[in-house]
Amino acid sequence: MDTLETRELRYFTAVAEELHFGRAAERLGIAQPPLSRAIQQLERRLGVRLLERNRRGVSLTGAGEVLLHEGRAALDATTAAARRTRRAGGADSPGGPRNRLVLAVKAAGSHELLRKLLDAYAAEPDAAEIEVLPSGMCEQEEMLRDGRADAAFMHAPFNSLAGFDSEELLTEGQSAILPARHPLAARTTLSLADISDIPGLPLARWPRHGIYPPGPGPEIHDQTQLAQLIALGRTAAVFPDSARAWLWAEHTAVPLTDAPAVVTHLAWPAHSRSLALAGLIRTAAQL
């Protein structure tokens, strides 16, 4: 049997992520016995053991690890297909809404570039409606894969472009964002070493794929929180130069001489066949 149902993948993914049949059943909103039977039937159909069950609990086999990885991607793909189809469907109805594209952007970055792209695309005949969806650090990748976004501004080297097509739009340097009253804010330039261990001013920590890196700096959840903590003299941050657009009067941006360049790309799923998206990509390439 070489086909799988989305229901089977949802059931297995819940068990594989929870590693507990009771919690997985509660998460799925079903009773535990039918969930256990469904997983057993899946294992028989595939001819492999997916889970090890013993007194210590549940663990994944090697085959189970593979199915969890592949299953997540498959579920994302089916969800993405449904979301993008709904967005495109309005354009097929007489008098219905225009086709709509969702563009994911990282909050606090590339404001001027985004404005130029939106203005240029809006001037195109038959342009789709663009919904700008702000996202956190590294969330754009997941939004593209599960269909919440049709395209995204991605920033190398922070975002992975693996599995996506992309158009390079902008290369820029990086700056340290400091409290305006801090002594280092008076400098014309800084190095990464200068800001790596400032007494009393640890660098802010953003999550990458839901995990915060170790360090003494505060865990940041959104741009407003970060802006306030910098203004209060509790943290510092490193951002692309274009982030200067959101600075408060209590902030100062100092260029970093040795920080790697940040390259902004417009990225989209490699398999996309959307004509509206193709128009947005053409406009971006002409900026």
Side-chain angles (χ1 to χ4, degrees):
M1 174 60 68
D2 292 329
T3 59
L4 294 170
E5 298 178 1
T6 55
R7 178 184 62 85
E8 293 176 312
L9 289 177
R10 285 193 298 104
Y11 282 11
F12 172 74
T13 299
V15 175
E17 291 178 345
E18 299 290 344
L19 293 178
H20 191 282
F21 277 88
R23 290 194 297 268
E26 183 177 355
R27 168 175 152 181
L28 293 165
I30 63 174
Q32 183 173 334
L35 175 60
S36 298
R37 289 195 296 270
I39 299 300
Q40 291 169 356
Q41 291 169 2
L42 177 60
E43 289 178 318
R44 285 196 296 270
R45 287 178 56 218
L46 292 175
V48 296
R49 183 177 294 278
L50 300 170
L51 301 167
E52 294 289 353
R53 308 162 179 84
N54 54 47
R55 293 179 180 178
R56 295 190 299 273
V58 178
S59 61
L60 288 171
T61 65
E65 293 277 3
V66 170
L67 184 58
L68 176 59
H69 174 76
E70 299 287 347
R72 282 170 171 163
L75 290 173
D76 280 349
T78 58
T79 301
R83 285 171 169 163
R84 292 189 176 114
T85 299
R86 283 195 212 98
R87 284 200 291 272
D92 297 328
S93 305
R98 288 189 298 165
N99 197 350
R100 183 167 63 95
L101 294 174
V102 176
L103 175 61
V105 299
K106 187 174 72 174
S110 307
H111 292 287
E112 183 65 18
L113 178 62
L114 177 60
R115 184 192 62 76
K116 288 180 179 178
L117 175 60
L118 295 178
D119 288 349
Y121 181 66
E124 294 291 326
D126 301 322
E129 176 186 348
I130 301 293
E131 177 185 343
V132 176
L133 182 61
S135 65
M137 182 73 72
C138 295
E139 289 182 348
Q140 303 99 309
E141 302 162 40
E142 184 178 346
M143 289 177 172
L144 283 183
R145 290 192 173 97
D146 68 14
R148 281 177 289 167
D150 300 292
F153 273 9
M154 307 272 268
H155 308 278
F158 308 114
N159 298 124
S160 171
L161 294 168
F164 303 118
D165 286 338
S166 65
E167 179 73 30
E168 185 175 320
L169 302 180
L170 174 69
T171 299
E172 60 184 322
Q174 298 192 71
S175 293
I177 312 301
L178 304 168
R181 293 184 294 178
H182 194 276
L184 288 179
R187 298 268 295 272
T188 56
T189 62
L190 291 167
S191 69
L192 289 172
D194 291 331
I195 64 167
S196 63
D197 190 20
I198 305 174
L201 198 68
L203 287 172
R205 292 183 294 139
W206 290 90
R208 295 181 67 86
H209 308 293
I211 300 174
Y212 284 92
E219 295 182 352
I220 300 302
H221 306 289
D222 56 53
Q223 179 189 337
T224 301
Q225 177 200 20
L226 174 64
Q228 185 172 36
L229 289 175
I230 294 175
L232 292 172
R234 301 299 179 90
T235 191
V238 175
F239 270 89
D241 291 337
S242 59
R244 292 169 181 264
W246 63 264
L247 297 189
W248 297 2
E250 295 88 348
H251 302 154
T252 295
V254 182
L256 292 167
T257 57
D258 57 350
V262 176
V263 183
T264 299
H265 299 255
L266 178 66
W268 62 93
H271 61 270
S272 176
R273 296 295 182 270
S274 166
L275 295 178
L277 178 57
L280 179 66
I281 295 165
R282 284 194 302 272
T283 300
Q286 295 167 3
L287 291 179

